[in-house]
Amino acid sequence: MSGAREKKRARKMRNQPASVTLPAEPGPVAAGGSRAGPPPGDVRSEGLPAPYQQQRFSHQSSGTSYRKDQYFPKGQNRGGRGRGGWQGGCQSASEEMPKYITASTFAQARAAEINAMLKAVAQKSSNSLVFQTLPRHMRRRAMSHNIKRLPRRLQEIARKEAEKAVHQKKEQSKTKSRKARRRHINLVAEFNRRQRKNIWLETHIWHAKRFHMIKKWGYCLADRPTEKSYRACYRAMTKHCLLQDLSYYCCLELNGKENELLKQLARLCSPDTGLMFGAEFCLSGRFQGSLNLYRADRYPEDMLGPVTFIWKPKDGSENRQLWIWMHPALKQDILSELKAIFQCPEPEEICISEPFTTLIQEEKQKDVAMNLGKKRKKKDKDGEKAVPVKKIIGDGTRDPFQPYSWTSPATGIVISDQTMEILRYRLIGPLSHSVLTETLKAASLQTEMADSETELNNWWVENCKDSEKVSLHQRQTAVFELLEGISSPSEMPAGTILGLTVGDPRVNLPKKKTKAMPNPEKYQDYDKVRQLVLEGVPVECAHSFIWDQGICKNVTENKISEQDLNRLRSQLLVPGSQLDLGPCESKIPVLLVQQPGKVAGEDRPGWGSGWDIYLPKGWGMAFWIPFIYRGVRVGGLQEGLKHSEYKRTPHTPNDYPDCPAGIQFAKELENSLLEKFKRRPPAKRANYVKLGTLSPFLCPWTQLTKNWEERMKASGEFLCPSFPRIESCATEGQSLCDPKPEVVAEASSETGEVEETMQISSESAIMTEDVASTQVFEERDETMTKSVFIVLRSEKLLMQLSAWCYPTSGKDRRVRLVSRLGQKEMTEHALLPILMSYPRALVWVNLSLLRKGNPELHAMICIPTEEDLLHLSKDQLFCGPQEPKHRDIFKHKIQKLKREKKKKRKDNVKALESDPHSISDKEITEEREDLILGLWSDPLPDVTSHCSRTLLGYVTRGDFSLAVGCGEALGFVSLTGLLHMLHSQPTDKKGLVLLRTPASLQYRFARLNIEV
């Protein structure tokens, strides 16, 4: 019997009573020559008593109408002539049928069949209408709209179907035409509906037509341009200006007494990492600061993420305002920690019914959204004109009954969520200040209201009556105009803040796109420009009205629409001339913040500097289009990633593996890369087991730091026999500190010995795999939620490490350099305190390839051997050694599991035939589903000694750099491994490492640097 027949027969016998058995093939003809009766499993025969069934078969065989014995003599099979015929002998029907049945089992089996039959009868098996179920010769065209043409027995069903179709048509009205869909009111209603789930930026429509959009962190963001613009964006950052919309960044505003704010905020950061919230030049409001936040009193563990902050300049009151800007992936963790340290209680959940007017407005908006494409002039139920749908400005996903402000009853500190209330644009490039000065014009003074009925510019009129504020505005205007005299934003002090009030930028829009260029002849006063560059912006000029929420709300609500602006342009006597709105022109408060660009390292200082401009919400496109008309190029998330890569700074959240957002990002990246890997057939993808790549989709930082700690303990290098600090630091992850049962020997440079070592280490790891699999899975789950390692961010120690691995070609030059920087020499006494304080730490490094090569994501950073360095010194064109090919120890195991799985499936089919209740479909489980051909399964062996070159760290970002003209990479290395390498390397070869991409066996030489 074929496999298909076996499966079909097993499904038939699944619910049969245990007392009923059937032969493997259909039974032979009865002795009387009659046709065989129904099979024993048939319902018609099984429900009858045995005597009655025998009498029934004998009655059928006694007739003369179906005499088969004349064709088949007694004792001969009908199917005995060829293959597949009946093999059984002559048996009577009474021998095939059961002598008795169990009533309970029989009823249970029949009940399931009856229920299935009733369900099939009750449900419609197709989507066809009633008149479509009739035979073709009974169908008529009129039946589709005239129910009376149907047979009477079907008319009632057809009437119900018609009512249901009309009801569905009313609920889901389809748009009639493109013209109806493109009407403004219908477009606004549709856009409002689409941004209820993911927040849209105000420039979303503009970006959606020109960029690839992705949904991330609750926003719909522009990822990269649809046109080829990789090099063009780099040229814009280097020579002109690149524009980015950073309005998705989150802003938390803290309001309260200065002492209380500084006291609690000091618990979230450390002076070892650099700035604090209480830095004098930041506290005055002149400069923007940046720092890394940790959980309260937990430094250097429990990293939260990097933030930037701005203090509002002092205005004489005790209370101060503070803005903390952060990436949206970090917002919830930082907000929870701020509410905890300031003791802000969560508001009680009270079910408050919405006001009646709100319900009416929502019903009207719902009617408008449901009736898209109908009449243009809509009326409500009372016959009056419906309320027009307003465009969502800001966060469209905000719940009006969810709190966005928290007050501490103990200290009086107020935490407000200002996300999407303040827009933020970033201009990157040496001519970004020229774009600003051409686009923005300082607001003119106004002492009288344009219209007494509206509130347009009423706040500006009141401020213009104050002579001190008028004088401040004039000084701010003078400083802003001096910006055109500088050659690059990097000449200004880092983080300079300038407040300003500008006019409507749509008024002075050029006729055609022009490229903003500096005009140094326009400003000959070089002394004032030099003074501005050296001293920065005065403290009083940092003030801006954007800090006042009431003024921002007034500016947003009284904005002149594009329709009115175009109508005024059409009324000009000379078409294309400058439009003068006079007192009706809006006045917008803005805040300009200088971004320093590349500040670490010696090459390309100030590269990537620019300006950030903060605006009130609702004015996004009014500023965006004028910037575009000044020749800027627009970038998305990928351009921002490249900007930080060329600056060699960590990118949020990609390069923060010790914070929750970075761990979540790594997990999502691993899942996406693994799915992409699985989509390829095994013959068309890399076998990472043979390439010696243990983790191609995820950087195992925890295991890397743990293995280096164990290596140092085993070798005893730098360490005393008693090492108390390591034990105390690793108490939380004590399970991770247990030594591995296998010890991998150091591999020699010869290929044969290396391959033997690889096989031995792999096999020993497999022997312990089954024992330690449960423990490792628990460790991995714990690691994904909380990191057991730290990233070294102490500026003092980073400067020390940077001096030790500084590139040099001579022994004396290194001594002079170290003494000039005031750093210690690399001795065991200098290394021991660092190792004792940070046993499991990572260091952020950048690498530049010496020769050809293109580093990739998750590339391995390894330590070269003495033979490699000797070969390089003899041959300067030597690219690097090669990793010997490893043996795939999982291949035979996967093939064996496939064979067992196939065999088990066959056994299950046979078991179902013999005893259908013993095995169910859900019990057919697969063993070791985590085994994938080409990937190493958990638990991983020692990652440092798995290959012929000792592993030091991993690359998180790498590519060919247009800035330096060679391959560059950024990543993390183990602090313990780095000190071990620097201590053992010769003086003229310090800082040389090997890079190997996950899908290659070729190592490449690279220079390791630490920039502070």
Side-chain angles (χ1 to χ4, degrees):
M1 190 185 296
S2 63
R5 280 186 172 182
E6 286 183 2
K7 291 179 182 178
K8 187 175 181 182
R9 187 171 181 279
R11 283 197 299 269
K12 277 186 177 181
M13 295 297 298
R14 183 179 301 169
N15 295 322
Q16 297 298 331
S19 59
V20 177
T21 57
L22 284 179
E25 295 289 341
V29 182
S34 66
R35 186 173 56 182
D42 194 3
V43 181
R44 295 171 296 177
S45 63
E46 199 170 308
L48 300 174
Y52 179 74
Q53 292 179 5
Q54 293 175 6
Q55 181 183 356
R56 178 181 170 187
F57 291 131
S58 63
H59 175 71
Q60 287 181 358
S61 62
S62 62
T64 58
S65 59
Y66 261 86
R67 295 283 299 175
K68 295 289 191 299
D69 50 11
Q70 53 185 338
Y71 302 106
F72 299 95
K74 190 174 183 180
Q76 183 179 352
N77 290 347
R78 274 194 295 182
R81 289 183 295 173
R83 183 184 301 177
W86 292 352
Q87 303 297 327
C90 297
Q91 297 178 2
S92 64
S94 61
E95 291 176 356
E96 294 182 3
M97 302 305 297
K99 293 182 179 181
Y100 61 90
I101 60 173
T102 307
S104 59
T105 311
F106 175 76
Q108 183 180 1
R110 300 289 80 75
E113 295 175 5
I114 294 171
N115 288 335
M117 181 184 67
L118 292 175
K119 187 177 180 182
V121 170
Q123 284 185 346
K124 285 182 65 176
S125 59
S126 64
N127 295 327
S128 58
L129 298 175
V130 175
F131 67 87
Q132 293 173 333
T133 60
L134 290 171
R136 291 188 179 276
H137 70 278
M138 293 181 65
R139 298 183 190 179
R140 297 293 181 270
R141 184 183 300 170
M143 288 179 181
S144 60
H145 59 83
N146 189 359
I147 296 176
K148 293 183 179 180
R149 297 300 298 270
L150 281 164
R152 288 185 178 179
R153 62 185 177 86
L154 301 176
Q155 286 183 8
E156 187 63 28
I157 302 174
R159 193 173 290 108
K160 290 180 180 178
E161 284 184 352
E163 291 176 359
K164 187 178 180 182
V166 171
H167 185 63
Q168 287 179 349
K169 206 170 187 180
K170 285 183 179 179
E171 285 184 351
Q172 300 176 358
S173 60
K174 296 182 180 178
T175 53
K176 292 184 178 179
S177 63
R178 175 177 169 81
K179 181 180 178 182
R181 295 197 307 268
R182 298 299 297 175
R183 285 176 186 155
H184 178 69
I185 188 171
N186 296 339
L187 276 179
V188 173
E190 175 67 10
F191 292 159
N192 288 350
R193 181 191 65 80
R194 287 166 58 185
Q195 55 184 311
R196 293 291 182 187
K197 190 174 183 181
N198 292 291
I199 303 174
W200 283 11
L201 307 184
E202 292 189 15
T203 57
H204 173 85
I205 301 296
W206 190 94
H207 278 102
K209 297 175 181 179
R210 300 164 179 86
F211 279 71
H212 294 283
M213 308 298 290
I214 59 172
K215 292 174 182 175
K216 261 188 172 183
W217 311 304
Y219 294 84
C220 199
L221 303 175
D223 186 46
R224 64 190 188 280
T226 53
E227 62 179 358
K228 293 183 179 179
S229 58
Y230 180 80
R231 288 178 178 269
C233 288
Y234 170 73
R235 284 196 297 266
M237 286 187 282
T238 307
K239 297 180 180 179
H240 192 252
C241 182
L242 182 83
L243 177 63
Q244 283 181 297
D245 189 353
L246 298 185
S247 302
Y248 63 91
Y249 266 64
C250 303
C251 176
L252 297 179
E253 180 181 293
L254 275 64
N255 199 334
K257 294 183 179 180
E258 181 180 318
N259 295 333
E260 290 291 338
L261 288 172
L262 293 177
K263 178 182 176 182
Q264 298 299 331
L265 290 174
R267 300 171 57 192
L268 302 180
C269 49
S270 172
D272 292 345
T273 59
L275 284 178
M276 299 277 286
F277 283 102
E280 185 178 354
F281 57 93
C282 294
L283 194 60
S284 62
R286 289 183 62 195
F287 298 98
Q288 173 187 262
S290 61
L291 48 80
N292 295 307
L293 291 186
Y294 295 82
R295 295 200 181 275
D297 306 322
R298 293 287 298 166
Y299 173 82
E301 301 173 359
D302 293 341
M303 169 78 171
L304 291 176
V307 298
T308 59
F309 62 94
I310 301 175
W311 286 94
K312 180 183 177 181
K314 297 180 180 180
D315 53 1
S317 62
E318 292 183 358
N319 288 355
R320 297 291 304 273
Q321 274 181 270
L322 172 67
W323 281 353
I324 302 178
W325 289 85
M326 67 210 70
H327 193 274
L330 314 172
K331 175 184 171 183
Q332 291 303 323
D333 297 324
I334 294 177
L335 179 60
S336 302
E337 194 66 22
L338 288 175
K339 289 192 288 186
I341 64 171
F342 288 113
Q343 302 175 4
C344 296
E346 290 291 339
E348 298 179 2
E349 296 182 0
I350 303 174
C351 297
I352 305 174
S353 60
E354 296 184 8
F356 185 67
T357 56
T358 308
L359 289 173
I360 293 176
Q361 290 176 359
E362 285 192 359
E363 287 177 2
K364 290 176 180 179
Q365 293 186 4
K366 192 175 181 181
D367 292 339
V368 171
M370 298 296 286
N371 299 323
L372 295 179
K374 289 190 176 181
K375 294 180 181 179
R376 185 167 186 176
K377 296 180 180 179
K378 298 178 178 62
K379 293 185 178 181
D380 58 5
K381 297 178 182 178
D382 300 331
E384 299 177 357
K385 290 184 179 179
V387 178
V389 181
K390 290 186 177 181
K391 178 184 176 183
I392 292 179
I393 299 175
D395 187 356
T397 63
R398 278 201 172 190
D399 185 2
F401 296 98
Q402 186 177 352
Y404 288 90
S405 180
W406 300 267
T407 305
S408 171
T411 59
I413 303 295
V414 180
I415 303 175
S416 303
D417 186 3
Q418 298 293 328
T419 304
M420 294 297 295
E421 298 296 312
I422 306 294
L423 307 183
R424 182 178 176 183
Y425 294 160
R426 174 164 290 178
L427 292 94
I428 304 169
L431 298 184
S432 55
H433 59 282
S434 300
V435 175
L436 284 175
T437 52
E438 284 196 20
T439 306
L440 307 180
K441 302 299 178 185
S444 58
L445 299 178
Q446 181 180 348
T447 56
E448 294 182 358
M449 293 288 295
D451 189 358
S452 58
E453 296 180 358
T454 64
E455 297 182 356
L456 178 65
N457 297 335
N458 60 348
W459 63 274
W460 182 244
V461 172
E462 293 177 2
N463 284 295
C464 286
K465 295 177 181 178
D466 190 348
S467 59
E468 292 184 2
K469 293 184 178 178
V470 170
S471 175
L472 175 61
H473 176 66
Q474 292 173 351
R475 278 179 288 172
Q476 288 176 338
T477 305
V479 172
F480 178 68
E481 291 175 351
L482 284 176
L483 291 180
E484 199 165 351
I486 63 176
S487 60
S488 173
S490 59
E491 295 183 4
M492 298 288 294
T496 299
I497 297 175
L498 174 63
L500 196 63
T501 304
V502 298
D504 195 334
R506 298 172 293 177
V507 174
N508 56 349
L509 199 66
K511 296 179 184 179
K512 295 182 180 180
K513 282 188 179 181
T514 58
K515 204 164 187 178
M517 300 299 292
N519 187 10
E521 296 180 357
K522 191 175 180 181
Y523 300 97
Q524 298 291 340
D525 197 351
Y526 294 110
D527 294 335
K528 290 185 178 180
V529 174
R530 190 181 298 109
Q531 183 181 1
L532 177 66
V533 169
L534 294 177
E535 298 180 2
V537 177
V539 179
E540 61 273 9
C541 292
H543 179 270
S544 175
F545 293 106
I546 200 172
W547 290 94
D548 193 336
Q549 296 182 12
I551 292 178
C552 290
K553 185 178 180 182
N554 185 307
V555 171
T556 301
E557 292 176 351
N558 294 289
K559 175 190 172 186
I560 302 176
S561 64
E562 292 285 342
Q563 184 179 5
D564 295 339
L565 211 59
N566 292 331
R567 180 177 50 81
L568 293 173
R569 284 198 185 102
S570 65
Q571 296 174 359
L572 289 173
L573 294 177
V574 180
S577 60
Q578 186 77 19
L579 181 63
D580 186 13
L581 298 178
C584 294
E585 182 180 358
S586 299
K587 310 298 188 294
I588 307 104
V590 298
L591 197 66
L592 301 177
V593 181
Q594 191 264 2
Q595 295 298 321
K598 189 176 185 301
V599 293
E602 296 182 357
D603 58 328
R604 297 180 291 116
W607 186 93
S609 59
W611 291 89
D612 281 5
I613 177 171
Y614 297 83
L615 314 166
K617 70 174 182 180
W619 284 88
M621 289 303 297
F623 280 77
W624 187 266
I625 298 300
F627 284 145
I628 300 297
Y629 268 72
R630 264 64 183 193
V632 302
R633 183 168 284 273
V634 181
L637 294 178
Q638 293 301 320
E639 284 68 35
L641 187 67
K642 286 297 174 186
H643 176 240
S644 64
E645 183 176 328
Y646 289 154
K647 289 198 305 178
R648 299 170 184 165
T649 56
H651 189 74
T652 311
N654 310 25
D655 301 322
Y656 288 87
D658 56 338
C659 75
I663 295 173
Q664 180 66 23
F665 174 83
K667 190 176 181 181
E668 293 173 359
L669 180 63
E670 181 194 19
N671 294 336
S672 64
L673 293 176
L674 185 59
E675 289 300 321
K676 185 178 179 181
F677 179 81
K678 287 180 179 178
R679 284 197 295 267
R680 289 180 175 271
K684 297 290 186 280
R685 64 193 187 198
N687 190 328
Y688 292 109
V689 179
K690 289 186 177 181
L691 293 170
T693 305
L694 291 176
S695 182
F697 309 135
L698 180 72
C699 300
W701 304 118
T702 303
Q703 189 162 354
L704 176 70
T705 54
K706 168 196 168 185
N707 293 150
W708 268 109
E709 183 184 9
E710 291 174 352
R711 285 173 68 96
M712 290 296 101
K713 281 184 180 180
S715 65
E717 190 175 2
F718 308 136
L719 306 180
C720 305
S722 60
F723 203 174
R725 177 59 183 163
I726 291 182
E727 300 296 335
S728 61
C729 288
T731 50
E732 243 177 273
Q734 189 63 33
S735 60
L736 296 175
C737 296
D738 299 332
K740 290 271 182 185
E742 75 274 8
V743 178
V744 182
E746 287 288 339
S748 66
S749 59
E750 301 194 6
T751 309
E753 295 181 7
V754 170
E755 287 183 351
E756 185 180 355
T757 307
M758 298 305 129
Q759 293 179 13
I760 293 172
S761 63
S762 303
E763 289 171 0
S764 60
I766 288 297
M767 291 172 62
T768 60
E769 179 179 353
D770 296 331
V771 179
S773 60
T774 308
Q775 178 185 358
V776 169
F777 283 133
E778 293 175 357
E779 291 173 1
R780 185 171 183 179
D781 293 340
E782 182 184 355
T783 305
M784 294 309 291
T785 56
K786 185 177 180 181
S787 62
V788 294
F789 59 90
I790 64 167
V791 175
L792 184 66
R793 296 187 175 91
S794 172
E795 288 190 350
K796 184 178 179 181
L797 288 178
L798 289 176
M799 289 181 67
Q800 180 74 72
L801 292 173
S802 177
W804 284 343
C805 60
Y806 196 87
T808 182
S809 57
K811 187 182 298 183
D812 297 333
R813 182 180 174 186
R814 170 164 292 279
V815 173
R816 287 197 300 271
L817 176 68
V818 171
S819 60
R820 181 168 57 88
L821 293 175
Q823 304 296 338
K824 300 177 182 178
E825 290 292 335
M826 186 184 296
T827 60
E828 292 190 5
H829 295 287
L831 297 177
L832 185 59
I834 300 176
L835 291 172
M836 292 182 66
S837 302
Y838 303 98
R840 293 192 182 185
L842 298 174
V843 183
W844 173 258
V845 297
N846 67 282
L847 305 106
S848 300
L849 291 175
L850 299 186
R851 298 291 176 187
K852 63 180 182 179
N854 191 18
E856 296 177 2
L857 179 67
H858 299 151
M860 290 163 281
I861 307 171
C862 302
I863 301 176
T865 61
E866 294 181 4
E867 291 81 1
D868 298 334
L869 297 176
L870 185 62
H871 195 171
L872 179 65
S873 60
K874 291 180 180 180
D875 183 9
Q876 294 297 325
L877 298 178
F878 177 56
C879 292
Q882 273 201 338
E883 174 72 17
K885 202 170 184 180
H886 293 231
R887 187 173 66 87
D888 190 353
I889 54 178
F890 296 102
K891 185 176 181 180
H892 298 295
K893 194 168 187 177
I894 293 173
Q895 292 175 350
K896 183 181 177 182
L897 286 173
K898 283 185 178 179
R899 290 194 297 267
E900 290 178 357
K901 181 181 173 184
K902 192 175 181 181
K903 184 181 178 182
K904 191 174 183 180
R905 198 175 291 164
K906 288 184 178 180
D907 295 341
N908 289 332
V909 172
K910 293 180 181 179
L912 282 172
E913 293 176 4
S914 60
D915 189 2
H917 298 283
S918 62
I919 300 175
S920 61
D921 292 338
K922 294 182 180 179
E923 292 177 0
I924 305 174
T925 57
E926 299 179 5
E927 293 183 0
R928 300 308 304 268
E929 292 180 354
D930 58 320
L931 281 180
I932 302 172
L933 188 63
L935 292 181
W936 195 288
S937 67
D938 289 323
L940 299 179
D942 190 344
V943 295
T944 58
S945 57
H946 179 70
C947 298
S948 60
R949 304 302 187 274
T950 306
L951 184 70
L952 188 62
Y954 290 95
V955 169
T956 58
R957 280 184 291 153
D959 200 357
F960 183 84
S961 174
L962 297 175
V964 295
C966 67
E968 277 201 340
L970 301 171
F972 292 94
V973 297
S974 169
L975 174 62
T976 308
L978 178 63
L979 294 177
H980 167 74
M981 182 192 76
L982 295 176
H983 186 263
S984 59
Q985 279 184 337
T987 311
D988 57 339
K989 301 293 183 183
K990 285 191 184 295
L992 281 181
V993 294
L994 291 173
L995 276 183
R996 181 165 73 91
T997 56
S1000 173
L1001 294 172
Q1002 179 68 49
Y1003 288 96
R1004 303 282 182 186
F1005 277 104
R1007 175 74 63 183
L1008 182 144
N1009 290 320
I1010 299 175
E1011 295 184 346
V1012 186

